[in-house]
Each structure stands twice: as structure tokens, then as C-alpha cells.
């Protein structure tokens, strides 16, 4: 599908559509269905655009100069594009059924107006915990005790802690100490289990430790050789994905695969093949433009949000998305462990991509050294012609990650942990 570059304005797009009129031709007609070749135009062609069809007639020639002035055109029909593919578009005729024929000229006459979405809004916290001693560097919502309500699993230093809410205040449920010489990187949760990806400094390798709540004790169940993340999409079950970071001097990594926890153990599926997908942190698959085909949405090394289609086309937006304190140098490579990219929907039902990024504390080297004093959660939706920020939630400290769901029975929404100095605060946002 030929889609709008983010740098173009709505008015510029209208001009682009008009300039491409003489390059579109009808290639097939089936009653009211018409198929138009769009492979030769570089203009943006959007679903919902109106078009007219013309039959070319006598060629006009200036009798004095001999200049060819083009041909007479007779309108034969009109309609609306209902589906846009890479090289052709499907339209539905509203007039001219029976008169429109293959080989006739098609002209885009108007493009759809941008979808109406809620204007940018600053979201305030619905609930905030009292201070937790220590810096939470990894977190996930998890129904660890199986009561149908999520607890908050959090890593502080070398401690895994489980929290809930009692009488409106944060309450500790259980805790355990992580193995020595492990640096926690991130955490996911699935089916009541907590999967903590760590770097083992003695073994010089990444691995994921799996924990579960047994009675009132957190117990380690197994170790996995992969870095593990989840794809969180509202209205769909979370999906775990895994990638192995090889411990050789080259620092290469495997392809990303789905991860399944089964009775006989944890297994990976076939590789996820998608152009530009090479790092398990900071990506998701989201139907950004609502055409039922999911795009790859990920954070680039330069901090941009990139929307990648299955072919070579892509959009890039912003420059702040790679700002995270979760980073390390490893075998000559600088690794950034990005927060989740979470798929949500606006109140109007438009697909929405949500990100957490940190704001540098000040000075030109603040981001280089991972020094941040605040963070934001922001969501973006595709209007049909552009990508727009739908809402944002400022956090009063840096943050390593965020999740989405219901914490201890509170309303569904984004949940984050903001870190200020040596204190952490769980923040639940109303969405």
C-alpha cells in the first residue's frame, strides 16, 4: 500500500494525489468492482479515496504549431477505493457500472479526511504507592497467586519482590534473593510465572530465570538460555518471544522466536521473519493503519520509532524513544534494553502504539551517560494521513519499563515504576 510519509502535510498529500492522475489505469472490471494499476505512481494512494474513470478520445493537435495537447476525455464512472495493495487498488463503482472498461484512465479526485481522534491529553495518576526503598529496574504485572488479580513483580538490586494493595496502600506479598553475580535486565510474566532476564558476570552470558509463587514463597523453577520479552496487545493474549545472545567474541545473536511454556519444558518455535527485526527489545506487531495486516513497530538505534512494512517501505518518527537507563557495554557492543512497545486502542477504536522514554537531566552528555530525571509514557495513533500523539503521561523520575493491565483490581491501564534517587514509586494511570 502506498502510504503517506510522515513528513508530508495533509495539503501536500492532496497535491501529490492530483499530480499522479494520468498514470492510473483500470486493468479489470467485475460488475461494480474495479481494479486500478497504481504500480507506476509514486503518489500516496489511500483507502477511502474517491476516483473517476474516463474514456480517452480524439487526440488534440495545435494546427499551427503541431503541438500535441492531449486527448479528449469522457467520464464513464466514479467510485471509492476500498482496498489498496502494493501494485493495485480495488475500488467500488458508485456510477458507470457497465460503462467502465479495462484500459480506461482513472483519476484520484479526493482523499479521505483524517480520522477524528481525541486530542493530545495529559493523563494523571489514578493511584501511586508510597515510597519503596531501592531502585526498581525491572517490573511486570503477574497473577502469581492465581486469585484473578495481578500482583506487581519488581526487581530491586538483587531482590525479586511481589507487591499487592491492601487498604489502599502498597503491601509486600513475598520476596527472594536472586543468584549472586547476576545483573537483572528485564522481566516478563506468563501464566503466573515470572521470567527475569539477567546477565551473569562470571559466566559472561545472558539467561532468564523462571520463578513462581509456591504458598507464600517465591521459588526458582528453571533457567533458560534466552533473553525473553513479551508482545503485549490489548484484547489478545500476551506472547513471549526469545532471542539468544551468543557468548562468543563476535557478540552475534540468534533470530527471534516465539517462546512457549509447556508441561515438558520451555520451547521455541520457528523464527519470526520480518525485515529489520533483529533485537528482542523494543518492538511489537501492530496493525497501525487498520488494514488488517500487522506492521513491525520498533525503536531504532538512533532513537526513532520505525513502522516497517513487509516490503521495503517504512516510516520513521521522533528521536527520543531510545532514551533508557537500561544499558551496558558487552564484548565491544553497546546494548540498550528498551522498554516494552505496547499495542492499545483509542476510545474511537483506532490502533495505538505506546512507548516509555526518559528525558535527559540536562547537558549535552546526559543521554550519553544515561542520566535522566523524568520520563513519559506516550501513545500514538495513525489517523489515515499521519501519525499523531493521542495522550501522554509524565512520570516524576526515570523509569526502566512499563506494563499494561489491572494492578490489584484497579482499572485497566498503564502501570509504571518511577525512580527518584534511591526511592521507587508504583504509578497506575487512568486510560
Amino acid at each position: 500500500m502506498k502510504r503517506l510519509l510522515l513528513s508530508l502535510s495533509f495539503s501536500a498529500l492532496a497535491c501529490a494525489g492530483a499530480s499522479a492522475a494520468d498514470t492510473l489505469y483500470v486493468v479489470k472490471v467485475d460488475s461494480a468492482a474495479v481494479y486500478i494499476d497504481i504500480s507506476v505512481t509514486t503518489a500516496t494512494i489511500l483507502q477511502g479515496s474517491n476516483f473517476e474513470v474516463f474514456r480517452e478520445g480524439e487526440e488534440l493537435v495545435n494546427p499551427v504549431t503541431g503541438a500535441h495537447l492531449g486527448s479528449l476525455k469522457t467520464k464513464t464512472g466514479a467510485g471509492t477505493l476500498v482496498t489498496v495493495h502494493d501494485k493495485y487498488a480495488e475500488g467500488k463503482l458508485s456510477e458507470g457500472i457497465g460503462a467502465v472498461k479495462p484500459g480506461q484512465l482513472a483519476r484520484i479526485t479526493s482523499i479521505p479526511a483524517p480520522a477524528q481522534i481525541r486530542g493530545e491529553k495529559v493523563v494523571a495518576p489514578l493511584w501511586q504507592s508510597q515510597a519503596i526503598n531501592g531502585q526498581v529496574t525491572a517490573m511486570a504485572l503477574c497473577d502469581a497467586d492465581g486469585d484473578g488479580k495481578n500482583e506487581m513483580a519488581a526487581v530491586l538490586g538483587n531482590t525479586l519482590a511481589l507487591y499487592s494493595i491492601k487498604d489502599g496502600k502498597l503491601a509486600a506479598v513475598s520476596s527472594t534473593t536472586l543468584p549472586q553475580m547476576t545483573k537483572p535486565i528485564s522481566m516478563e510474566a506468563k501464566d503466573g510465572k515470572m521470567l527475569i532476564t539477567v546477565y551473569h558476570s562470571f559466566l559472561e552470558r545472558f539467561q532468564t530465570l523462571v520463578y513462581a509463587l509456591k504458598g507464600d514463597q517465591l521459588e526458582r523453577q528453571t533457567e533458560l538460555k534466552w533473553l525473553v520479552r513479551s508482545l503485549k496487545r490489548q484484547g489478545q493474549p500476551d506472547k513471549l518471544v526469545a532471542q539468544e545472545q551468543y557468548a562468543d567474541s563476535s557478540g552475534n545473536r540468534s533470530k527471534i522466536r516465539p517462546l512457549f511454556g509447556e508441561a515438558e519444558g520451555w520451547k521455541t518455535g520457528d523464527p519470526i521473519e520480518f525485515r529489520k527485526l533483529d533485537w528482542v527489545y523494543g518492538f511489537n506487531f501492530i496493525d497501525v493503519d487498520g488494514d488488517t495486516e500487522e506492521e513491525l513497530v520498533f525503536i531504532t538505534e538512533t532513537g526513532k520509532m520505525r513502522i516497517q512494512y513487509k516490503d521495503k517501505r517504512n516510516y520513521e518518527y521522533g528521536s527520543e524513544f531510545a532514551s533508557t537507563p537500561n544499558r551496558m557495554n558487552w564484548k565491544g557492543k553497546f546494548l540498550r534494553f528498551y522498554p516494552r512497545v505496547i499495542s492499545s486502542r483509542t476510545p474511537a477504536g483506532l490502533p495505538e502504539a505506546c512507548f516509555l522514554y526518559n528525558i535527559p537531566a540536562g547537558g549535552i552528555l546526559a543521554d550519553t551517560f544515561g542520566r535522566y530525571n523524568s520520563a513519559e509514557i506516550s501513545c500514538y495513533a495513525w489517523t489515515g494521513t499521519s501519525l499523531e500523539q493521542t495522550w501522554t503521561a509524565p512520570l516524576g523520575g526515570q523509569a526502566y519499563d512499563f506494563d499494561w493491565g489491572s494492578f490489584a483490581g484497579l482499572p485497566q491501564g498503564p502501570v509504571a515504576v518511577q525512580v527518584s534517587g534511591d526511592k521507587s514509586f508504583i504509578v497506575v494511570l487512568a486510560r
Side-chain angles (χ1 to χ4, degrees):
M1 182 184 295
K2 298 184 182 299
R3 301 171 172 86
L4 177 67
L5 295 174
L6 293 175
S7 60
L8 294 179
S9 67
F10 181 76
S11 59
L13 185 144
C15 294
S19 67
D22 292 341
T23 65
L24 308 181
Y25 287 90
V26 175
V27 295
K28 180 181 178 180
V29 180
D30 184 4
S31 186
V34 61
Y35 300 83
I36 299 172
D37 178 9
I38 61 172
S39 63
V40 293
T41 179
T42 59
T44 299
I45 307 297
L46 295 173
Q47 178 180 327
S49 298
N50 295 321
F51 65 89
E52 293 180 344
V53 182
F54 299 85
R55 181 179 65 250
E56 294 185 284
E58 179 185 355
E59 179 78 14
L60 296 179
V61 179
N62 187 309
V64 177
T65 65
H68 290 264
L69 306 178
S71 59
L72 295 174
K73 296 177 178 64
T74 302
K75 181 180 175 180
T76 58
T80 302
L81 298 182
V82 295
T83 306
V84 180
H85 302 279
D86 184 22
K87 295 184 179 181
Y88 70 95
E90 301 176 35
K92 183 177 181 181
L93 292 173
S94 57
E95 57 180 279
I97 297 176
V100 172
K101 305 292 183 182
Q104 292 180 352
L105 176 70
R107 174 181 297 161
I108 302 298
T109 57
S110 68
I111 60 176
Q116 296 299 311
I117 64 175
R118 179 176 62 181
E120 181 182 336
K121 177 182 178 181
V122 177
V123 176
L126 176 68
W127 179 88
Q128 180 172 311
S129 74
Q130 65 269 31
I132 303 170
N133 290 324
Q135 293 192 354
V136 172
T137 57
M139 51 80 69
L141 293 173
C142 176
D143 183 11
D145 57 10
D147 67 351
K149 295 182 179 180
N150 286 325
E151 288 78 36
M152 165 73 76
V155 172
L156 303 94
N158 67 339
T159 298
L160 169 62
L162 201 61
Y163 296 99
S164 186
I165 298 176
K166 185 176 181 180
D167 298 328
K169 294 186 177 181
L170 190 69
V173 175
S174 184
S175 65
T176 190
T177 302
L178 299 175
Q180 293 183 351
M181 294 184 287
T182 57
K183 170 184 168 57
I185 302 295
S186 61
M187 177 161 47
E188 299 297 342
K190 182 71 171 178
D191 300 329
K193 297 180 176 63
M194 290 144 277
L195 297 89
I196 307 168
T197 296
V198 302
Y199 176 68
H200 199 293
S201 59
F202 180 75
L203 300 176
E204 294 187 325
R205 70 183 185 194
F206 295 93
Q207 60 190 66
T208 294
L209 312 176
V210 181
Y211 285 81
L213 184 66
K214 299 296 183 182
D216 59 355
Q217 298 295 318
L218 287 167
E219 297 181 0
R220 185 169 51 160
Q221 293 190 324
T222 189
E223 298 176 5
L224 309 176
K225 64 180 180 179
W226 308 288
L227 302 100
V228 175
R229 289 302 267 167
S230 67
L231 304 183
K232 302 187 76 70
R233 296 176 283 186
Q234 300 305 299
Q236 301 182 45
D238 295 349
K239 293 184 178 180
L240 295 178
V241 290
Q243 183 177 38
E244 184 175 1
Q245 181 76 59
Y246 300 126
D248 56 28
S249 59
S250 65
N252 292 328
R253 55 180 73 123
S254 72
K255 291 187 175 182
I256 299 170
R257 299 171 180 264
L259 177 64
F260 308 99
E262 302 174 354
E264 61 271 22
W266 294 83
K267 297 180 180 179
T268 56
D270 294 332
I272 302 173
E273 301 289 352
F274 210 106
R275 183 179 179 84
K276 298 294 183 180
L277 178 59
D278 63 0
W279 185 222
V280 76
Y281 285 88
F283 85 94
N284 206 336
F285 292 104
I286 304 174
D287 180 14
V288 175
D289 52 14
D291 65 355
T292 72
E293 185 174 281
E294 291 184 336
E295 289 77 48
L296 171 64
V297 180
F298 69 101
I299 300 170
T300 70
E301 291 184 356
T302 56
K304 298 179 181 295
M305 176 213 308
R306 183 177 178 122
I307 302 173
Q308 178 68 54
Y309 292 82
K310 288 185 178 180
D311 52 30
K312 295 181 180 180
R313 290 166 298 166
N314 66 84
Y315 306 137
E316 290 188 344
Y317 179 91
S319 61
E320 66 273 17
F321 298 99
S323 299
T324 174
N326 203 0
R327 54 179 70 187
M328 67 179 292
N329 285 300
W330 184 73
K331 296 187 180 297
K333 291 189 174 183
F334 184 64
L335 303 179
R336 292 178 186 258
F337 305 97
Y338 305 120
R340 300 175 180 93
V341 176
I342 297 179
S343 170
S344 179
R345 286 190 175 272
T346 69
L350 295 176
E352 196 174 49
C354 301
F355 298 80
L356 165 70
Y357 52 86
N358 287 266
I359 300 171
I364 59 174
L365 297 179
D367 183 59
T368 302
F369 291 99
R371 296 173 181 169
Y372 308 103
N373 58 9
S374 61
E376 285 186 356
I377 297 173
S378 292
C379 290
Y380 303 80
W382 179 257
T383 67
T385 58
S386 64
L387 195 68
E388 292 186 7
Q389 188 180 63
T390 54
W391 65 270
T392 183
L395 300 175
Q398 68 177 8
Y400 287 77
D401 212 341
F402 78 120
D403 208 337
W404 198 296
S406 171
F407 173 38
L410 292 175
Q412 292 265 348
V415 182
V417 180
Q418 63 188 34
V419 178
S420 180
D422 61 352
K423 304 292 184 183
S424 299
F425 305 83
I426 298 174
V427 180
V428 178
L429 299 162
R431 178 67 173 98

